[in-house]
């Protein structure tokens, strides 16, 4: 296991030269814009997030601006980012910030955790990136870098463990470098230490990486299954939700029926959208986004 202080400077130097120029990383990025980016980036690549994030920031530059709109508008402008409950979470978060925190994103990690839809990762990320806090920020990319570089394992466990959190905490540098360290390790995992084809020759810590030095032993945990989409309930829900997003009023049931052949799966998906608060069924049997 490499000494923690040996990893810090190479990673920070690499990030200073190689970091992507992203709008939520600029010095004038607001805490709200950073929070929105972190929610959108969950399980979604940057290239898909950028245009939607830009539209949101132009339309809703503050939590109060989003809170004034009905939740259906957040779903409508979520586009094709997937996992649209995140849009509802952001809308609920905007209302909570407006109502309980005078429209300002809380600076405190513990208070961030009380906001709707904000978990440990997002709270740590916002506290670090928006307010320069000293927190371990553990997303998939960070967990993979630490698994390889420090633990000598190709992949981290499926779910974040207490051992991973202790390791991440032990690697945190002093407060001044901690926020940059957090985003730099994340960027290293996204651009170099990727899941399927790590570019070890371009890695600033390849000479210290426990996994590489051990001969890159293959992963020996439970089978890692790729996500399927075609034909799933998730795809069906996406088709139905697309009809509702494109309409600016209630949609008759037959307009939804035509987008998916399997009636049983279609009804199950539609019931799921209603149960999740992503759609409403009106008394006349038509459907709309939540209002």
């Amino acid at each position: 296991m490499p000494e923690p202080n040996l990893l810090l400077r190479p990673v920070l130097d690499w990030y200073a030269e190689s970091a992507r120029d992203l709008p939520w990383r600029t010095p004038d990025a607001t805490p709200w814009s950073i929070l929105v980016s972190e929610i959108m980036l969950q399980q979604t690549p940057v290239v898909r997030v950028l245009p939607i994030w830009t539209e949101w920031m132009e339309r809703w530059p503050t939590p109060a601006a989003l809170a004034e709109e009905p939740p259906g508008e957040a779903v409508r402008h979520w586009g094709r980012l997937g996992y649209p409950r995140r849009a509802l979470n952001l809308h609920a978060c905007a209302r909570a910030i407006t109502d309980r925190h005078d429209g300002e994103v809380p600076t405190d990690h513990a208070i961030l955790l009380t906001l709707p839809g904000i978990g440990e990762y997002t709270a740590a990320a916002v506290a670090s990136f928006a307010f320069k806090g000293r927190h371990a920020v553990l997303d998939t990319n960070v967990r993979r870098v630490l698994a390889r570089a420090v633990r000598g394992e190709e992949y981290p466990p499926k779910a974040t463990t207490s051992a991973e959190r202790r390791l991440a905490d032990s690697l945190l540098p002093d407060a001044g470098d901690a926020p940059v360290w957090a985003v730099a390790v994340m960027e290293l995992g996204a651009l170099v230490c990727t899941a399927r084809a790590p570019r070890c020759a371009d890695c600033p810590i390849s000479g210290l990486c426990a996994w590489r030095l051990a001969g890159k032993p293959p992963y020996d945990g439970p089978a890692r299954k790729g996500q399927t989409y075609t034909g799933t309930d998730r795809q069906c829900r996406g088709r139905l939700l697309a009809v509702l997003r494109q309409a600016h009023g209630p949609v008759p049931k037959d307009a939804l029926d035509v987008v998916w052949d399997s009636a049983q799966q279609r009804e199950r998906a539609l019931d799921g959208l209603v149960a999740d608060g992503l759609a409403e069924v009106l008394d006349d049997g038509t459907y709309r986004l939540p209002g």
Side-chain angles (χ1 to χ4, degrees), residues 1 12-13 23 40 46-47 63 65 137 168 170 179 185 204 223 282 289:
M1 180 181 297
L12 295 189
D13 289 346
M40 288 185 172
V46 166
V47 67
V137 182
S170 73
V185 179
L282 306 182
L289 293 175

Side-chain angles (χ1 to χ4, degrees), residues 163-247:
E164 286 182 283
R165 294 194 185 281
R166 288 193 299 270
L167 172 61
D169 286 337
S170 73
L171 294 171
L172 276 176
D174 294 337
D177 286 329
V180 184
W181 163 259
V183 70
V185 179
M186 189 182 302
E187 190 81 334
L188 185 64
L191 300 182
V192 176
C193 193
T194 56
R196 297 186 181 276
R199 295 165 35 222
C200 297
D202 299 325
C203 179
I205 54 173
S206 61
L208 302 169
C209 176
W211 180 59
R212 191 191 71 81
L213 294 174
K216 298 183 180 179
Y219 176 73
D220 62 357
R224 299 171 62 86
K225 298 179 180 179
Q227 290 186 337
T228 58
Y229 182 71
T230 303
T232 62
D233 281 9
R234 185 174 162 228
Q235 185 184 31
C236 180
R237 284 164 59 102
R239 294 269 184 89
L240 296 169
L241 200 56
V243 175
L244 299 178
R245 285 203 316 267
Q246 291 163 10

Side-chain angles (χ1 to χ4, degrees), residues 9-34:
R9 187 47 52 192
V11 171
L12 295 189
D13 289 346
W14 172 86
Y15 181 75
E17 294 182 0
S18 305
R20 288 171 291 185
D21 182 15
L22 300 175
W24 47 82
R25 291 180 181 167
T26 60
D28 60 348
T30 66
W32 170 243
S33 73
I34 291 170

